[in-house]
Each structure stands twice: as structure tokens, then as C-alpha cells.
Amino acid sequence: MIEELKDKVLSGGHLSEEEAYSLLKMTDKEALYKASGEITRFFCKNKFDMCSIINARSGKCPEDCKWCAQSSHYKTRIEIYDIIDPKECKEQAIQIFKKGVNHLGLVTSGRKVQGKSLTKICNLYRSINENNINASLCASLGLLDRDELSLLKEAGVKRYHCNLETAPSYFASLCSTHTQEEKIKTIHAAQEIGMDVCSGGIIGMGESAEQRVELAITLNRLNIRSIPINILHPIPGTPLAEATPLSSEEILTTIAIFRFVNPKAFLRLAGGRAQLSQNTLEKALRSGINSAIVGDMLTTVGSKVEEDKKLITHCGYSID
């Protein structure tokens, strides 16, 4: 069965929903991981994509996302500041570029960045471009509309990031202040003006295994080619602080199924990966993962870029 589904994908076919969900029933997990690795190498070769983020506005978010340390609804110990100082932003960007990472995104808390704040952000991007004209710039600034996205594109932003976070059937259980439909509207607006889109989610928030597959299918329908897979890092003070961690097998199975459903995408290991053992990390890279966010995350410590490079090359990838 697993070989038949793999061959279907390798020949250019797409799994039906029934076939995608059937992968959850595969008892030979090693065979599943091996097959997803073959799909990765066939469509994506050995190219690995690294990106880094800068927390450009932190805390005081009015949204009530249950996983998030930046929500003003919860008492968490995070640094709070408005739009980052231009000099500090530029210095952080220079340090990231020196480490050989050319994909950089600015990320802000809040429902969206607009008005004078959006103008400030656009100016930050122009300043960053002065130092590295070859940089691929990304933005994660909330639920922007087409006109606001166009301003970012004019400032040099090539990709917009807007996570779906979880399956459509589960999102309302985790957030009540905005809808997934609003997120999809922003994604469509970015695609309509010619921007690439990065969109994925967080696993381990109480969703079912079937809902993880549902998320993978939804991302495929939206034609997303950069998919961050975050693993919940429970934050004290948030409603998910005591969430039960996923097992390594659950994480690796999710990654493998995401690859079967999204064979040509960059599956980007993101937040929460510091919780994984070296063996699990290697298995993730040898099955479906072919990109990662490196360096620190928004409110949690991330990874050291040089250590990531060693792991990436050890698993057979090349880094541009």
C-alpha cells in the first residue's frame, strides 16, 4: 500500500483525501518515513532552505490565541516593545546575513500592522535591502489587505507569511478573536499580487492526528509551497501550558504525511524543534523536512546556525 501511494505521488498524481488519511493507519512507520524521504529527494533534490526571523514588535496582542505568549489575555513573561528601533533591526539583519542566511522575515505581534506602523516596517525593509540586495525578504504582520501587502512588495518583500495554525475544524477551539477564513483571505490577497506565501501550523495543541492531515490537505488546496511545521512549546501562563507533548513517532508521522500531500513544498521545521532528540531531528530531515527557521524564535530560544549547518549537511543536503 505505501509503495503504491508513493509511486502515485512520484508519477505526478495527488492523493485523495481517503488515501491521505489512510497513511495514519500504516503500522510500518520506518517504511513510511523512507517513502516520504524518496518523495522529498525526487521533487526537491538535495537543496535545503534556511531562513531567520526578527521579532519586530512584541507583546500586547489583543488576539486570544491559546498557544501564544504574546497575547494580552494571558500573563506571560515576555519582553514588550513597539516597532523595533531601525538601528537594532539593521544590526540584527547584518548578523544573520553574516551567518550565511539570506532569507529573513520581520514578525510582529498584534492583529495587523497598519498606518504609520506599516510605514515604519516598510522603511525597515528598505534599510535591510541596502546591506544585502540579494536577500529574500519575508513578512509576518497579521491580517493585511491587498493594498497593505502591495506597500510591502514595493519595499522589497517577496514572501508573506500567514499560518493557518491548525485544521479548519479545530481553529475555533483555539482562537475566538479572528477566523481562519480571515487568514485565508490575506493569503489569497498576497497570491493575487504575485507574492509567494509561507503558511503552516503548530502541532501538539490538542488536535487529533486526523486534523493534522486535514491541515496538510488544506495547505495543498491553497497551493502553499513553504510550510512551517511548528511543534508546540508550552508557555507558562497560556491555556496550553500543560498540553501533553507529542511523541517522536507522532511528529515524524505528521512530517511524512505532509510530504506525501505536499510533495513539492519546502517543509520548514520551525518553533519547538529544540525539544527533539538528535535522532528524531535526523529522521525528520531524512524523511520530509527540507528547510528550517534557524536562530532564535519569537519568544523562545532557537538553535545555533553553525550547528544547524552541520546537521543539514550530515543529512545529505547542500546549502546555497
Side-chain angles (χ1 to χ4, degrees):
M1 180 67 172
I2 188 69
E3 288 298 309
E4 292 177 11
L5 295 181
K6 181 194 73 176
D7 290 342
K8 180 177 182 177
V9 174
L10 292 179
S11 64
H14 297 281
L15 298 190
S16 66
E17 287 191 26
E18 182 179 359
E19 288 171 330
Y21 286 113
S22 74
L23 292 172
L24 289 172
K25 301 176 184 177
M26 299 295 172
T27 56
D28 189 345
K29 298 300 182 184
E30 294 300 327
L32 176 64
Y33 307 154
K34 180 177 181 293
S36 64
E38 291 176 23
I39 293 171
T40 303
R41 289 187 291 276
F42 181 85
F43 287 108
C44 308
K45 311 305 178 187
N46 69 333
K47 181 181 178 183
F48 198 94
D49 182 65
M50 297 190 302
C51 66
S52 285
I53 58 177
I54 293 175
N55 193 356
R57 185 173 72 186
S58 182
K60 290 188 176 181
C61 181
E63 307 303 297
D64 67 355
C65 307
K66 291 183 178 181
W67 62 86
C68 188
Q70 303 209 55
S71 173
S72 60
H73 293 258
Y74 319 124
K75 293 182 180 180
T76 59
R77 296 180 179 180
I78 62 164
E79 189 177 0
I80 296 174
Y81 53 85
D82 204 343
I83 301 300
I84 191 171
D85 176 75
K87 183 178 179 181
E88 170 66 17
C89 182
K90 195 168 186 176
E91 288 177 354
Q92 286 192 37
I94 290 171
Q95 291 304 312
I96 289 169
F97 295 146
K98 282 183 177 179
K99 294 175 182 177
V101 181
N102 289 319
H103 289 215
L104 174 63
L106 300 186
V107 183
T108 57
S109 63
R111 183 179 181 86
K112 67 185 295 184
V113 173
Q114 57 189 324
K116 292 181 179 179
S117 293
L118 182 57
T119 299
K120 289 180 181 179
I121 290 288
C122 288
N123 288 336
L124 291 178
Y125 281 112
R126 293 188 179 96
S127 178
I128 292 170
N129 257 332
E130 291 174 358
N131 286 83
N132 193 331
I133 58 175
N134 295 318
S136 179
L137 300 180
C138 179
S140 182
L141 312 176
L143 303 174
L144 303 192
D145 60 29
R146 182 169 180 153
D147 290 341
E148 292 161 335
L149 290 164
S150 295
L151 292 175
L152 288 172
K153 187 178 180 183
E154 290 171 8
V157 177
K158 299 175 182 178
R159 177 186 290 163
Y160 197 72
H161 171 265
C162 186
N163 271 349
L164 292 187
E165 306 299 3
T166 191
S169 65
Y170 192 57
F171 185 85
S173 300
L174 297 172
C175 178
S176 68
T177 50
H178 62 271
T179 66
Q180 200 173 72
E181 286 73 19
E182 290 174 284
K183 287 176 169 289
I184 292 174
K185 185 177 180 180
T186 290
I187 288 171
H188 284 320
Q191 291 172 328
E192 287 167 4
I193 65 170
M195 298 177 85
D196 292 332
V197 170
C198 180
S199 182
I202 308 171
I203 61 175
M205 296 196 291
E207 77 286 345
S208 67
E210 288 77 13
Q211 285 170 323
R212 290 173 213 136
V213 178
E214 181 188 346
L215 174 60
I217 292 170
T218 305
L219 291 165
N220 177 265
R221 287 175 179 161
L222 290 171
N223 196 33
I224 305 299
R225 289 294 175 260
S226 174
I227 301 177
I229 299 177
N230 297 270
I231 302 156
L232 180 69
H233 183 108
I235 303 295
T238 65
L240 297 182
E242 304 299 324
T244 302
L246 295 179
S247 67
S248 295
E249 182 178 290
E250 288 174 304
I251 293 168
L252 292 170
T253 298
T254 298
I255 290 169
I257 294 175
F258 265 65
R259 175 55 68 199
F260 266 85
V261 176
N262 299 278
K264 298 179 181 180
F266 279 104
L267 294 187
R268 194 175 302 277
L269 199 56
R273 65 190 176 99
Q275 307 166 65
L276 305 182
S277 68
Q278 187 72 10
N279 181 56
T280 301
L281 282 171
E282 289 189 19
K283 281 189 173 183
L285 267 68
R286 295 185 191 281
S287 54
I289 293 296
N290 64 334
S291 57
I293 298 178
V294 298
D296 286 345
M297 303 299 153
L298 290 179
T299 60
T300 58
V301 175
S303 61
K304 294 182 179 179
V305 176
E306 290 308 315
E307 291 179 1
D308 280 337
K309 287 182 177 180
K310 290 179 182 178
L311 175 63
I312 292 164
T313 54
H314 173 70
C315 290
Y317 286 103
S318 64
I319 304 171
D320 293 337

